[in-house]
Amino acid sequence: MFIRITADGEVNGDGLSESIASLLGVFDSVPQFIANDEWQIEIMENDEEDDDLPQGWFVDCSPTEEVPWGAVSKVAEGVTKLLVEHGGSNPNAQLIEDEGQV
């Protein structure tokens, strides 16, 4: 299970990555991949027509099974807010049960 948050627009990807890392308390991450003991978050931009991935910016938030649903919801809301603060528009969050379902 993971949450995919999508947005349109010109997003400052590096700034978004830094803000998400701060939200999770991660101080050592690479720009498009942020992880700690409870989360793996990947930030991507797709500007090509691809049937498997949404166009625009998207952030995949994968919690471990130990993360309570309330914390999952809180992080998803925080990431959505940060996506908009860094230039995204029309945000949309989807719960995806496995990578084959969208």
Side-chain angles (χ1 to χ4, degrees), residues 1-5 20 24 33-42 59-77 79 94-99:
M1 170 191 79
F2 66 97
I3 297 173
R4 175 168 286 160
I5 304 166
I20 292 173
L24 295 178
F33 188 78
I34 303 153
N36 65 14
D37 291 340
E38 298 180 330
W39 289 92
Q40 290 185 356
I41 295 183
E42 189 171 2
V59 181
D60 286 349
C61 305
S62 303
T64 63
E65 291 181 14
E66 292 80 30
V67 177
W69 181 248
V72 171
S73 179
K74 183 176 178 179
V75 167
E77 288 172 8
V79 169
Q94 289 181 293
L95 178 65
I96 300 177
E97 293 296 330
D98 77 21
E99 293 190 35

mmCIF file of all heavy atoms in Angstrom, residues 1-5 20 24 33-42 59-77 79 94-99:
data_model
loop_
_atom_site.group_PDB
_atom_site.id
_atom_site.type_symbol
_atom_site.label_atom_id
_atom_site.label_comp_id
_atom_site.label_asym_id
_atom_site.label_seq_id
_atom_site.Cartn_x
_atom_site.Cartn_y
_atom_site.Cartn_z
ATOM 1 N N MET A 1 0.839 -1.172 0.000
ATOM 2 C CA MET A 1 0.000 0.000 0.000
ATOM 3 C C MET A 1 0.886 1.238 0.000
ATOM 4 O O MET A 1 1.893 1.290 0.699
ATOM 5 C CB MET A 1 -0.875 0.010 1.245
ATOM 6 C CG MET A 1 -1.606 1.316 1.431
ATOM 7 S SD MET A 1 -2.405 1.492 3.040
ATOM 8 C CE MET A 1 -1.024 1.934 4.048
ATOM 9 N N PHE A 2 0.507 2.212 -0.820
ATOM 10 C CA PHE A 2 1.160 3.502 -0.763
ATOM 11 C C PHE A 2 0.175 4.571 -1.190
ATOM 12 O O PHE A 2 -0.891 4.277 -1.719
ATOM 13 C CB PHE A 2 2.453 3.538 -1.589
ATOM 14 C CG PHE A 2 2.270 3.392 -3.076
ATOM 15 C CD1 PHE A 2 2.230 4.496 -3.905
ATOM 16 C CD2 PHE A 2 2.167 2.137 -3.651
ATOM 17 C CE1 PHE A 2 2.095 4.358 -5.275
ATOM 18 C CE2 PHE A 2 2.036 1.980 -5.022
ATOM 19 C CZ PHE A 2 1.994 3.101 -5.834
ATOM 20 N N ILE A 3 0.537 5.806 -0.914
ATOM 21 C CA ILE A 3 -0.302 6.935 -1.304
ATOM 22 C C ILE A 3 0.433 7.685 -2.395
ATOM 23 O O ILE A 3 1.613 8.021 -2.241
ATOM 24 C CB ILE A 3 -0.580 7.862 -0.106
ATOM 25 C CG1 ILE A 3 -1.374 7.091 0.944
ATOM 26 C CG2 ILE A 3 -1.335 9.112 -0.560
ATOM 27 C CD1 ILE A 3 -1.568 7.827 2.236
ATOM 28 N N ARG A 4 -0.237 7.918 -3.515
ATOM 29 C CA ARG A 4 0.332 8.700 -4.609
ATOM 30 C C ARG A 4 -0.361 10.053 -4.618
ATOM 31 O O ARG A 4 -1.583 10.136 -4.733
ATOM 32 C CB ARG A 4 0.140 7.996 -5.949
ATOM 33 C CG ARG A 4 0.612 8.852 -7.127
ATOM 34 C CD ARG A 4 0.689 8.060 -8.400
ATOM 35 N NE ARG A 4 1.877 7.184 -8.314
ATOM 36 C CZ ARG A 4 2.038 6.108 -9.066
ATOM 37 N NH1 ARG A 4 1.127 5.751 -9.936
ATOM 38 N NH2 ARG A 4 3.132 5.378 -8.940
ATOM 39 N N ILE A 5 0.436 11.091 -4.500
ATOM 40 C CA ILE A 5 -0.075 12.454 -4.523
ATOM 41 C C ILE A 5 0.427 13.092 -5.807
ATOM 42 O O ILE A 5 1.633 13.131 -6.056
ATOM 43 C CB ILE A 5 0.396 13.241 -3.289
ATOM 44 C CG1 ILE A 5 -0.022 12.493 -2.018
ATOM 45 C CG2 ILE A 5 -0.174 14.658 -3.313
ATOM 46 C CD1 ILE A 5 0.652 12.975 -0.769
ATOM 47 N N ILE A 20 9.986 17.923 2.528
ATOM 48 C CA ILE A 20 9.476 16.613 2.935
ATOM 49 C C ILE A 20 10.461 15.949 3.892
ATOM 50 O O ILE A 20 10.059 15.354 4.895
ATOM 51 C CB ILE A 20 9.186 15.721 1.710
ATOM 52 C CG1 ILE A 20 8.001 16.288 0.918
ATOM 53 C CG2 ILE A 20 8.887 14.285 2.141
ATOM 54 C CD1 ILE A 20 7.740 15.591 -0.399
ATOM 55 N N LEU A 24 9.621 14.749 7.807
ATOM 56 C CA LEU A 24 9.848 13.407 8.344
ATOM 57 C C LEU A 24 11.016 13.332 9.327
ATOM 58 O O LEU A 24 11.263 12.282 9.908
ATOM 59 C CB LEU A 24 10.111 12.416 7.208
ATOM 60 C CG LEU A 24 8.959 12.173 6.246
ATOM 61 C CD1 LEU A 24 9.397 11.219 5.152
ATOM 62 C CD2 LEU A 24 7.750 11.630 6.976
ATOM 63 N N PHE A 33 14.546 10.879 -3.329
ATOM 64 C CA PHE A 33 14.202 9.728 -2.514
ATOM 65 C C PHE A 33 14.504 10.034 -1.054
ATOM 66 O O PHE A 33 15.631 10.359 -0.706
ATOM 67 C CB PHE A 33 14.981 8.491 -2.961
ATOM 68 C CG PHE A 33 14.534 7.237 -2.289
ATOM 69 C CD1 PHE A 33 13.373 6.598 -2.692
ATOM 70 C CD2 PHE A 33 15.256 6.702 -1.241
ATOM 71 C CE1 PHE A 33 12.946 5.433 -2.064
ATOM 72 C CE2 PHE A 33 14.838 5.537 -0.600
ATOM 73 C CZ PHE A 33 13.680 4.912 -1.021
ATOM 74 N N ILE A 34 13.480 9.950 -0.224
ATOM 75 C CA ILE A 34 13.594 10.265 1.193
ATOM 76 C C ILE A 34 13.119 9.044 1.964
ATOM 77 O O ILE A 34 12.053 8.504 1.675
ATOM 78 C CB ILE A 34 12.717 11.481 1.541
ATOM 79 C CG1 ILE A 34 13.117 12.675 0.672
ATOM 80 C CG2 ILE A 34 12.820 11.828 3.015
ATOM 81 C CD1 ILE A 34 12.016 13.652 0.436
ATOM 82 N N ALA A 35 13.893 8.619 2.945
ATOM 83 C CA ALA A 35 13.499 7.426 3.701
ATOM 84 C C ALA A 35 13.947 7.541 5.155
ATOM 85 O O ALA A 35 14.937 8.194 5.463
ATOM 86 C CB ALA A 35 14.096 6.177 3.079
ATOM 87 N N ASN A 36 13.166 6.918 6.007
ATOM 88 C CA ASN A 36 13.556 6.702 7.399
ATOM 89 C C ASN A 36 13.024 5.329 7.792
ATOM 90 O O ASN A 36 12.637 4.545 6.925
ATOM 91 C CB ASN A 36 13.076 7.835 8.310
ATOM 92 C CG ASN A 36 11.562 7.946 8.419
ATOM 93 O OD1 ASN A 36 10.823 7.052 8.031
ATOM 94 N ND2 ASN A 36 11.096 9.067 8.948
ATOM 95 N N ASP A 37 12.989 5.021 9.071
ATOM 96 C CA ASP A 37 12.555 3.687 9.501
ATOM 97 C C ASP A 37 11.086 3.401 9.198
ATOM 98 O O ASP A 37 10.676 2.247 9.146
ATOM 99 C CB ASP A 37 12.797 3.505 11.002
ATOM 100 C CG ASP A 37 14.277 3.426 11.342
ATOM 101 O OD1 ASP A 37 15.075 3.135 10.436
ATOM 102 O OD2 ASP A 37 14.618 3.658 12.515
ATOM 103 N N GLU A 38 10.282 4.450 9.022
ATOM 104 C CA GLU A 38 8.845 4.264 8.824
ATOM 105 C C GLU A 38 8.350 4.593 7.415
ATOM 106 O O GLU A 38 7.254 4.201 7.053
ATOM 107 C CB GLU A 38 8.078 5.125 9.827
ATOM 108 C CG GLU A 38 8.347 4.749 11.271
ATOM 109 C CD GLU A 38 7.589 5.611 12.252
ATOM 110 O OE1 GLU A 38 7.317 6.789 11.935
ATOM 111 O OE2 GLU A 38 7.256 5.098 13.328
ATOM 112 N N TRP A 39 9.119 5.323 6.631
ATOM 113 C CA TRP A 39 8.644 5.821 5.340
ATOM 114 C C TRP A 39 9.679 5.671 4.244
ATOM 115 O O TRP A 39 10.867 5.781 4.496
ATOM 116 C CB TRP A 39 8.309 7.311 5.437
ATOM 117 C CG TRP A 39 7.093 7.595 6.223
ATOM 118 C CD1 TRP A 39 7.038 7.867 7.572
ATOM 119 C CD2 TRP A 39 5.764 7.620 5.754
ATOM 120 N NE1 TRP A 39 5.749 8.068 7.947
ATOM 121 C CE2 TRP A 39 4.936 7.927 6.855
ATOM 122 C CE3 TRP A 39 5.180 7.415 4.519
ATOM 123 C CZ2 TRP A 39 3.561 8.030 6.742
ATOM 124 C CZ3 TRP A 39 3.812 7.527 4.402
ATOM 125 C CH2 TRP A 39 3.020 7.828 5.507
ATOM 126 N N GLN A 40 9.180 5.494 3.019
ATOM 127 C CA GLN A 40 9.964 5.665 1.801
ATOM 128 C C GLN A 40 9.134 6.575 0.917
ATOM 129 O O GLN A 40 7.975 6.266 0.611
ATOM 130 C CB GLN A 40 10.221 4.341 1.099
ATOM 131 C CG GLN A 40 11.170 3.450 1.837
ATOM 132 C CD GLN A 40 11.504 2.199 1.049
ATOM 133 O OE1 GLN A 40 10.982 1.950 -0.028
ATOM 134 N NE2 GLN A 40 12.402 1.402 1.598
ATOM 135 N N ILE A 41 9.722 7.689 0.537
ATOM 136 C CA ILE A 41 9.000 8.665 -0.279
ATOM 137 C C ILE A 41 9.833 8.954 -1.515
ATOM 138 O O ILE A 41 11.025 9.251 -1.420
ATOM 139 C CB ILE A 41 8.708 9.955 0.513
ATOM 140 C CG1 ILE A 41 7.752 9.607 1.663
ATOM 141 C CG2 ILE A 41 8.143 11.038 -0.403
ATOM 142 C CD1 ILE A 41 7.312 10.779 2.506
ATOM 143 N N GLU A 42 9.187 8.849 -2.666
ATOM 144 C CA GLU A 42 9.857 9.101 -3.933
ATOM 145 C C GLU A 42 9.152 10.232 -4.658
ATOM 146 O O GLU A 42 7.924 10.228 -4.791
ATOM 147 C CB GLU A 42 9.853 7.830 -4.788
ATOM 148 C CG GLU A 42 10.711 7.931 -6.005
ATOM 149 C CD GLU A 42 10.863 6.593 -6.724
ATOM 150 O OE1 GLU A 42 10.273 5.587 -6.288
ATOM 151 O OE2 GLU A 42 11.577 6.579 -7.729
ATOM 152 N N VAL A 59 4.251 12.203 -6.012
ATOM 153 C CA VAL A 59 5.020 11.804 -4.838
ATOM 154 C C VAL A 59 4.397 10.512 -4.328
ATOM 155 O O VAL A 59 3.212 10.482 -3.999
ATOM 156 C CB VAL A 59 4.967 12.901 -3.745
ATOM 157 C CG1 VAL A 59 5.798 12.489 -2.542
ATOM 158 C CG2 VAL A 59 5.424 14.252 -4.293
ATOM 159 N N ASP A 60 5.182 9.444 -4.312
ATOM 160 C CA ASP A 60 4.716 8.161 -3.776
ATOM 161 C C ASP A 60 5.188 8.036 -2.340
ATOM 162 O O ASP A 60 6.396 8.093 -2.068
ATOM 163 C CB ASP A 60 5.250 6.992 -4.609
ATOM 164 C CG ASP A 60 4.555 6.872 -5.950
ATOM 165 O OD1 ASP A 60 3.531 7.547 -6.162
ATOM 166 O OD2 ASP A 60 5.038 6.087 -6.786
ATOM 167 N N CYS A 61 4.244 7.897 -1.426
ATOM 168 C CA CYS A 61 4.516 7.812 0.010
ATOM 169 C C CYS A 61 4.205 6.399 0.479
ATOM 170 O O CYS A 61 3.035 6.004 0.501
ATOM 171 C CB CYS A 61 3.653 8.806 0.779
ATOM 172 S SG CYS A 61 3.790 10.516 0.214
ATOM 173 N N SER A 62 5.239 5.658 0.841
ATOM 174 C CA SER A 62 5.075 4.258 1.253
ATOM 175 C C SER A 62 5.434 4.101 2.723
ATOM 176 O O SER A 62 6.609 4.108 3.084
ATOM 177 C CB SER A 62 5.980 3.355 0.416
ATOM 178 O OG SER A 62 5.711 3.497 -0.954
ATOM 179 N N PRO A 63 4.418 3.934 3.588
ATOM 180 C CA PRO A 63 4.711 3.701 5.002
ATOM 181 C C PRO A 63 4.975 2.224 5.257
ATOM 182 O O PRO A 63 4.546 1.359 4.501
ATOM 183 C CB PRO A 63 3.414 4.131 5.690
ATOM 184 C CG PRO A 63 2.354 3.821 4.677
ATOM 185 C CD PRO A 63 2.986 4.068 3.327
ATOM 186 N N THR A 64 5.684 1.941 6.346
ATOM 187 C CA THR A 64 5.819 0.551 6.769
ATOM 188 C C THR A 64 4.487 0.120 7.394
ATOM 189 O O THR A 64 3.626 0.952 7.690
ATOM 190 C CB THR A 64 6.946 0.378 7.812
ATOM 191 O OG1 THR A 64 6.610 1.129 8.981
ATOM 192 C CG2 THR A 64 8.283 0.824 7.257
ATOM 193 N N GLU A 65 4.330 -1.159 7.607
ATOM 194 C CA GLU A 65 3.083 -1.672 8.187
ATOM 195 C C GLU A 65 2.864 -1.202 9.618
ATOM 196 O O GLU A 65 1.741 -1.184 10.102
ATOM 197 C CB GLU A 65 3.083 -3.204 8.137
ATOM 198 C CG GLU A 65 2.983 -3.745 6.730
ATOM 199 C CD GLU A 65 2.961 -5.259 6.688
ATOM 200 O OE1 GLU A 65 2.756 -5.895 7.740
ATOM 201 O OE2 GLU A 65 3.133 -5.805 5.589
ATOM 202 N N GLU A 66 3.929 -0.797 10.305
ATOM 203 C CA GLU A 66 3.825 -0.373 11.701
ATOM 204 C C GLU A 66 3.281 1.050 11.863
ATOM 205 O O GLU A 66 2.927 1.461 12.962
ATOM 206 C CB GLU A 66 5.198 -0.455 12.389
ATOM 207 C CG GLU A 66 5.713 -1.864 12.582
ATOM 208 C CD GLU A 66 6.332 -2.440 11.310
ATOM 209 O OE1 GLU A 66 6.883 -1.683 10.481
ATOM 210 O OE2 GLU A 66 6.235 -3.666 11.117
ATOM 211 N N VAL A 67 3.238 1.820 10.784
ATOM 212 C CA VAL A 67 2.780 3.204 10.881
ATOM 213 C C VAL A 67 1.258 3.210 11.025
ATOM 214 O O VAL A 67 0.549 2.661 10.181
ATOM 215 C CB VAL A 67 3.205 4.019 9.638
ATOM 216 C CG1 VAL A 67 2.673 5.439 9.712
ATOM 217 C CG2 VAL A 67 4.719 4.025 9.500
ATOM 218 N N PRO A 68 0.723 3.825 12.105
ATOM 219 C CA PRO A 68 -0.735 3.867 12.279
ATOM 220 C C PRO A 68 -1.397 4.742 11.213
ATOM 221 O O PRO A 68 -0.796 5.680 10.692
ATOM 222 C CB PRO A 68 -0.923 4.462 13.679
ATOM 223 C CG PRO A 68 0.375 5.049 14.069
ATOM 224 C CD PRO A 68 1.440 4.456 13.207
ATOM 225 N N TRP A 69 -2.660 4.415 10.903
ATOM 226 C CA TRP A 69 -3.376 5.112 9.842
ATOM 227 C C TRP A 69 -3.431 6.620 10.082
ATOM 228 O O TRP A 69 -3.322 7.411 9.156
ATOM 229 C CB TRP A 69 -4.777 4.539 9.668
ATOM 230 C CG TRP A 69 -5.494 5.242 8.564
ATOM 231 C CD1 TRP A 69 -6.562 6.060 8.684
ATOM 232 C CD2 TRP A 69 -5.155 5.243 7.168
ATOM 233 N NE1 TRP A 69 -6.925 6.560 7.458
ATOM 234 C CE2 TRP A 69 -6.074 6.071 6.511
ATOM 235 C CE3 TRP A 69 -4.157 4.611 6.419
ATOM 236 C CZ2 TRP A 69 -6.030 6.296 5.136
ATOM 237 C CZ3 TRP A 69 -4.125 4.835 5.055
ATOM 238 C CH2 TRP A 69 -5.051 5.661 4.437
ATOM 239 N N GLY A 70 -3.572 7.050 11.331
ATOM 240 C CA GLY A 70 -3.607 8.479 11.630
ATOM 241 C C GLY A 70 -2.328 9.177 11.202
ATOM 242 O O GLY A 70 -2.357 10.293 10.675
ATOM 243 N N ALA A 71 -1.189 8.530 11.416
ATOM 244 C CA ALA A 71 0.094 9.099 11.008
ATOM 245 C C ALA A 71 0.226 9.111 9.486
ATOM 246 O O ALA A 71 0.778 10.053 8.908
ATOM 247 C CB ALA A 71 1.245 8.317 11.632
ATOM 248 N N VAL A 72 -0.283 8.081 8.828
ATOM 249 C CA VAL A 72 -0.261 8.034 7.363
ATOM 250 C C VAL A 72 -1.050 9.213 6.807
ATOM 251 O O VAL A 72 -0.585 9.937 5.920
ATOM 252 C CB VAL A 72 -0.831 6.695 6.834
ATOM 253 C CG1 VAL A 72 -1.011 6.737 5.323
ATOM 254 C CG2 VAL A 72 0.062 5.535 7.243
ATOM 255 N N SER A 73 -2.234 9.434 7.339
ATOM 256 C CA SER A 73 -3.083 10.529 6.892
ATOM 257 C C SER A 73 -2.405 11.881 7.123
ATOM 258 O O SER A 73 -2.430 12.761 6.257
ATOM 259 C CB SER A 73 -4.422 10.468 7.630
ATOM 260 O OG SER A 73 -5.251 11.519 7.230
ATOM 261 N N LYS A 74 -1.779 12.054 8.279
ATOM 262 C CA LYS A 74 -1.118 13.312 8.616
ATOM 263 C C LYS A 74 0.036 13.603 7.661
ATOM 264 O O LYS A 74 0.192 14.729 7.183
ATOM 265 C CB LYS A 74 -0.622 13.263 10.059
ATOM 266 C CG LYS A 74 0.003 14.545 10.524
ATOM 267 C CD LYS A 74 0.387 14.462 11.991
ATOM 268 C CE LYS A 74 1.062 15.749 12.437
ATOM 269 N NZ LYS A 74 1.428 15.695 13.846
ATOM 270 N N VAL A 75 0.858 12.597 7.376
ATOM 271 C CA VAL A 75 1.977 12.789 6.450
ATOM 272 C C VAL A 75 1.463 13.066 5.042
ATOM 273 O O VAL A 75 1.970 13.955 4.342
ATOM 274 C CB VAL A 75 2.944 11.580 6.481
ATOM 275 C CG1 VAL A 75 3.920 11.620 5.313
ATOM 276 C CG2 VAL A 75 3.691 11.552 7.801
ATOM 277 N N ALA A 76 0.426 12.353 4.603
ATOM 278 C CA ALA A 76 -0.134 12.593 3.264
ATOM 279 C C ALA A 76 -0.663 14.021 3.154
ATOM 280 O O ALA A 76 -0.441 14.692 2.135
ATOM 281 C CB ALA A 76 -1.238 11.590 2.966
ATOM 282 N N GLU A 77 -1.343 14.503 4.182
ATOM 283 C CA GLU A 77 -1.835 15.882 4.168
ATOM 284 C C GLU A 77 -0.670 16.869 4.135
ATOM 285 O O GLU A 77 -0.709 17.868 3.410
ATOM 286 C CB GLU A 77 -2.703 16.143 5.390
ATOM 287 C CG GLU A 77 -4.046 15.452 5.340
ATOM 288 C CD GLU A 77 -4.827 15.570 6.643
ATOM 289 O OE1 GLU A 77 -4.400 16.322 7.549
ATOM 290 O OE2 GLU A 77 -5.863 14.898 6.751
ATOM 291 N N VAL A 79 2.427 16.346 2.959
ATOM 292 C CA VAL A 79 3.079 16.288 1.652
ATOM 293 C C VAL A 79 2.242 17.018 0.604
ATOM 294 O O VAL A 79 2.776 17.757 -0.231
ATOM 295 C CB VAL A 79 3.354 14.826 1.235
ATOM 296 C CG1 VAL A 79 3.784 14.740 -0.223
ATOM 297 C CG2 VAL A 79 4.407 14.207 2.144
ATOM 298 N N GLN A 94 -4.276 9.553 -3.858
ATOM 299 C CA GLN A 94 -4.925 8.260 -4.060
ATOM 300 C C GLN A 94 -4.227 7.203 -3.213
ATOM 301 O O GLN A 94 -3.001 7.156 -3.176
ATOM 302 C CB GLN A 94 -4.796 7.796 -5.513
ATOM 303 C CG GLN A 94 -5.594 8.548 -6.523
ATOM 304 C CD GLN A 94 -5.348 7.913 -7.878
ATOM 305 O OE1 GLN A 94 -4.244 7.988 -8.401
ATOM 306 N NE2 GLN A 94 -6.378 7.284 -8.430
ATOM 307 N N LEU A 95 -5.010 6.364 -2.572
ATOM 308 C CA LEU A 95 -4.484 5.200 -1.889
ATOM 309 C C LEU A 95 -4.378 4.086 -2.919
ATOM 310 O O LEU A 95 -5.352 3.758 -3.589
ATOM 311 C CB LEU A 95 -5.397 4.784 -0.740
ATOM 312 C CG LEU A 95 -4.971 3.542 0.032
ATOM 313 C CD1 LEU A 95 -3.652 3.780 0.752
ATOM 314 C CD2 LEU A 95 -6.051 3.143 1.014
ATOM 315 N N ILE A 96 -3.200 3.520 -3.057
ATOM 316 C CA ILE A 96 -2.975 2.465 -4.032
ATOM 317 C C ILE A 96 -2.602 1.199 -3.261
ATOM 318 O O ILE A 96 -1.615 1.183 -2.517
ATOM 319 C CB ILE A 96 -1.889 2.868 -5.051
ATOM 320 C CG1 ILE A 96 -2.362 4.136 -5.787
ATOM 321 C CG2 ILE A 96 -1.585 1.720 -5.997
ATOM 322 C CD1 ILE A 96 -1.397 4.694 -6.770
ATOM 323 N N GLU A 97 -3.407 0.177 -3.430
ATOM 324 C CA GLU A 97 -3.230 -1.064 -2.665
ATOM 325 C C GLU A 97 -1.971 -1.813 -3.056
ATOM 326 O O GLU A 97 -1.281 -2.346 -2.218
ATOM 327 C CB GLU A 97 -4.453 -1.963 -2.803
ATOM 328 C CG GLU A 97 -5.691 -1.395 -2.145
ATOM 329 C CD GLU A 97 -5.558 -1.253 -0.645
ATOM 330 O OE1 GLU A 97 -4.830 -2.029 0.000
ATOM 331 O OE2 GLU A 97 -6.202 -0.347 -0.095
ATOM 332 N N ASP A 98 -1.695 -1.909 -4.343
ATOM 333 C CA ASP A 98 -0.417 -2.468 -4.783
ATOM 334 C C ASP A 98 -0.051 -1.786 -6.084
ATOM 335 O O ASP A 98 -0.860 -1.107 -6.678
ATOM 336 C CB ASP A 98 -0.440 -4.003 -4.886
ATOM 337 C CG ASP A 98 -1.137 -4.552 -6.119
ATOM 338 O OD1 ASP A 98 -1.280 -3.831 -7.112
ATOM 339 O OD2 ASP A 98 -1.518 -5.724 -6.082
ATOM 340 N N GLU A 99 1.177 -1.969 -6.516
ATOM 341 C CA GLU A 99 1.672 -1.210 -7.648
ATOM 342 C C GLU A 99 0.937 -1.500 -8.954
ATOM 343 O O GLU A 99 1.008 -0.737 -9.881
ATOM 344 C CB GLU A 99 3.160 -1.443 -7.831
ATOM 345 C CG GLU A 99 3.937 -0.858 -6.664
ATOM 346 C CD GLU A 99 5.436 -0.852 -6.924
ATOM 347 O OE1 GLU A 99 5.830 -0.653 -8.063
ATOM 348 O OE2 GLU A 99 6.166 -1.054 -5.959
#
